[in-house]
Structure formats: structure tokens, C-alpha cells
Amino acid sequence: MLSEKKVTLLAVLSTILISSKVIVVKQLLNQGMSADQILFLRMLMATPIFLLIYIFYKKKSSKKMSSTDLVLISIVGIFGFFLSPLFDFKGTNYIPATIERVLIFSYPLFIFIFSIFIGSRKPKITHFIMLLFIFIGLYLSVNGISSHPLTHIGIKGVILVLIAAGFYAISLIVSQRVVHRVGSLNLTVLSEIAAFLIITIYFGINKWIYPIEDTHIRSSSYILLFIMVIFCTVIPFFLLNECIKHIGATKVSLLSIIGPISTTFLDVILLKEILSIYQITGIILVLLSVYFLDFHDKKAEKTKVNPSENHSRY
């Protein structure tokens, strides 16, 4: 039996691995792959692995699912595994990895806004103060105050990643409504498979990467893709689910703030990106504001069902 300290360290490790995905994506983009190719090949490699996992653990997680549950699972897959990473990968092509992580990490902002519109959350004055800080932090983190402001290409990247964060928020809201009925394993695997089917049709129609052998993808790119699938997707998924069982989804959510911080260091060390003092200030402001807006509320409410049970998707 693992101690709580060891489980916490595993949760931190899984969070770092998940956040490191953007570093790998950035390297693949630098090697000439398109965002579409990365997404398709990632899903192509990951789907058989998740399918084998599902078959192996199916008896342990067998739960009856209604047609409504299957529709909701498909929606989670479309928004969480397809649309969100598609826009995210496209946006990452134009902005530093650190900025991408901060923008994606702002998804609780969208959850908060959506929850107000659907009437499931009543805002307080402190919430609006945190929202203001998040907007200020986002403005600073994307180089809002600088002698070298973002070009229109950089702004395009910011918009694409923010759209990705919005889609991710939708997938988490829907998954929160269905995860307690079908289980996290069924939800993650089946939504991933549903997304892969949609992605296959999508790329088949557009003929963007077919045939694969004509895309001249380097062997080193396939190695990086394999690393991303195994170490940034599959392994963190199991680590997070085990950690949630031992220390709860709320504490795992609290630890996820480490992800963007680790990405910042990796971005500077591996990709040689340079961040201004304004950007660093903005990043810190966003992380702290998101913590108080989303994770602090979760801790206070001690909710049994938490969107972070599917955080491994990212």
C-alpha cells in the first residue's frame, strides 16, 4: 500500500508528463509535421492501446450504459479528444509552449462562464475579481506589455488555443454529468474511440494526410509520437486514476497547477524560449487566479464528482 506522500509524488509526476506533451508537439511541428498529422497519428497509436486496456479491465468496470450515456460519451470525445487538441496543436504552431500551457490551463474560466449560463453556478464578487485577474494575467502572458508585441500570427495562435480551452471545458462539463454513471475508464476509452472514428472520417474527407507514406515523416518524428502516446497519454492516465482513488480528485486537481510551471522550465531549457518579466508575471497571476477560482472552490465544496477525473486527456 502506497503512502499518501508517494501517491502525491506520482500525481505530480503524471501532471508533469501530461504537460510535457506540448514540448513534444512543438518539436514535431519544428520537424515539419502538421498539426493534423500529429493529431491523427497520435490517435492512431493510442486507440489500440486504450482498446486493449478496456478489454482487459472491462469486467472490473462493467456498468450498464444507456443510449443517452453513449451520446454524451461521444460528445466528450468530439470536444475533448478531437476539436480541442486539433485547435490546440494548430495554435501551438504559432506561440511558445509555455504560453500554450497557460492558455489551456485557463479552461476553468470557460467552465465558470458556461456554468453561469446554464444556471448551475451562482457567481460571487470574489469570482469576478479572480476573472479580472485572469484576464490581466492572460494579457501579460501573451506579451501584452512589450516593446515587441505579438504579430498577427501570434494572435492567431492565442485565439486558436483559447478556442481549444473552451472546447476542453465543454468536454469536462459533459463528462461530469456522465462519469459517475459509466465510470472514468469507460468514459475515457469509449470517448477516445468515438473521437478516433470522427477523426478518421474528417481526415478521409479532407485527404490532408492520406496516404501516410507520402507525407515524408521522419523516423525521429515517429519516435517522438510514440513517446507522446506512452509517456504523455497512457501512463499518466493510469497514474492519475490510481492517484484519484487514493487521495481524491480534489487534491489531484490542486496538484495540476504544477503542470504549466514545469512546462515553463522545459520550454526555456529545451526549446530556448525567452520570457519577459511581464510574461512571467502574467503566468503567475493566471495560475494563482485559476487556483482560487476553480480549485479552491472544489476543495471547499468537497465534490464527489470532479472534472479532473478526465484531466489526463490533456
Side-chain angles (χ1 to χ4, degrees):
M1 184 71 176
L2 292 175
S3 64
E4 183 174 342
K5 184 177 180 180
K6 291 181 178 179
V7 175
T8 300
L9 289 175
L10 288 176
V12 170
L13 174 62
S14 62
T15 298
I16 292 174
L17 289 174
I18 291 169
S19 295
S20 300
K21 172 184 63 67
V22 67
I23 302 295
V24 181
V25 171
K26 200 72 175 178
Q27 292 282 19
L28 290 169
L29 290 169
N30 291 338
Q31 290 184 4
M33 289 188 66
S34 68
D36 308 307
Q37 291 171 337
I38 296 171
L39 178 60
F40 179 79
L41 292 176
R42 175 200 181 198
M43 296 291 285
L44 185 64
M45 291 180 179
T47 300
I49 298 175
F50 276 113
L51 187 58
L52 288 174
I53 292 169
Y54 178 72
I55 293 172
F56 183 78
Y57 285 100
K58 187 177 180 181
K59 292 183 179 179
K60 296 182 181 180
S61 61
S62 58
K63 291 188 177 183
K64 292 183 178 180
M65 289 176 282
S66 65
S67 56
T68 301
D69 291 334
L70 292 175
V71 170
L72 292 176
I73 288 172
S74 298
I75 292 174
V76 171
I78 292 171
F79 282 94
F81 279 110
F82 174 43
L83 291 175
S84 182
L86 180 64
F87 279 82
D88 181 38
F89 291 177
K90 287 181 178 294
T92 302
N93 198 27
Y94 306 116
I95 57 177
T98 295
I99 304 305
E100 182 274 346
R101 276 296 93 184
V102 173
L103 294 174
I104 283 294
F105 195 72
S106 68
Y107 69 86
L109 167 65
F110 293 94
I111 292 179
F112 176 78
I113 295 173
F114 294 153
S115 64
I116 292 177
F117 279 105
I118 63 178
S120 62
R121 192 170 190 174
K122 294 182 179 180
K124 302 177 182 178
I125 186 63
T126 53
H127 291 149
F128 288 108
I129 293 174
M130 289 303 105
L131 285 177
L132 177 62
F133 285 150
I134 288 176
F135 283 121
I136 294 173
L138 288 174
Y139 176 75
L140 293 174
S141 64
V142 298
N143 224 14
I145 301 178
S146 175
S147 57
H148 301 287
L150 281 178
T151 63
H152 69 282
I153 296 296
I155 295 174
K156 178 181 178 181
V158 170
I159 293 174
L160 287 172
V161 177
L162 284 176
I163 292 174
F167 285 144
Y168 183 51
I170 292 174
S171 74
L172 291 181
I173 292 173
V174 177
S175 67
Q176 188 179 17
R177 294 173 178 268
V178 71
V179 65
H180 64 284
R181 295 198 299 270
V182 304
S184 61
L185 180 62
N186 282 329
L187 175 60
T188 301
V189 175
L190 294 180
S191 61
E192 199 274 348
I193 293 174
F196 177 67
L197 295 176
I198 298 297
I199 289 171
T200 302
I201 296 173
Y202 170 77
F203 286 117
I205 293 174
N206 289 280
K207 298 180 180 179
W208 283 351
I209 66 170
Y210 288 97
I212 292 178
E213 60 268 22
D214 290 341
T215 57
H216 305 293
I217 299 174
R218 304 179 188 177
S219 57
S220 59
S221 296
Y222 283 108
I223 294 174
L224 286 174
L225 281 166
F226 180 78
I227 290 174
M228 180 170 63
V229 169
I230 299 300
F231 294 99
C232 303
T233 307
V234 177
I235 291 179
F237 162 72
F238 281 105
L239 284 179
L240 275 184
N241 275 281
E242 287 302 312
C243 291
I244 288 171
K245 290 179 183 177
H246 286 84
I247 63 177
T250 297
K251 190 168 184 178
V252 171
S253 292
L254 294 170
L255 294 171
S256 67
I257 197 173
I258 296 172
I261 297 174
S262 66
T263 303
T264 300
F265 286 106
L266 291 174
D267 192 20
V268 173
I269 294 172
L270 298 179
L271 301 180
K272 310 300 181 182
E273 295 285 357
I274 299 176
L275 298 176
S276 68
I277 186 64
Y278 298 112
Q279 289 176 295
I280 294 174
T281 302
I283 291 170
I284 294 173
L285 192 57
V286 170
L287 296 182
L288 292 178
S289 300
V290 166
Y291 171 84
F292 285 106
L293 176 66
D294 185 64
F295 300 141
H296 186 267
D297 283 353
K298 287 190 179 74
K299 187 177 182 181
E301 295 168 6
K302 295 182 180 179
T303 53
K304 294 182 179 180
V305 180
N306 194 295
S308 65
E309 291 187 36
N310 296 290
H311 192 262
S312 58
R313 196 161 31 260
Y314 255 97

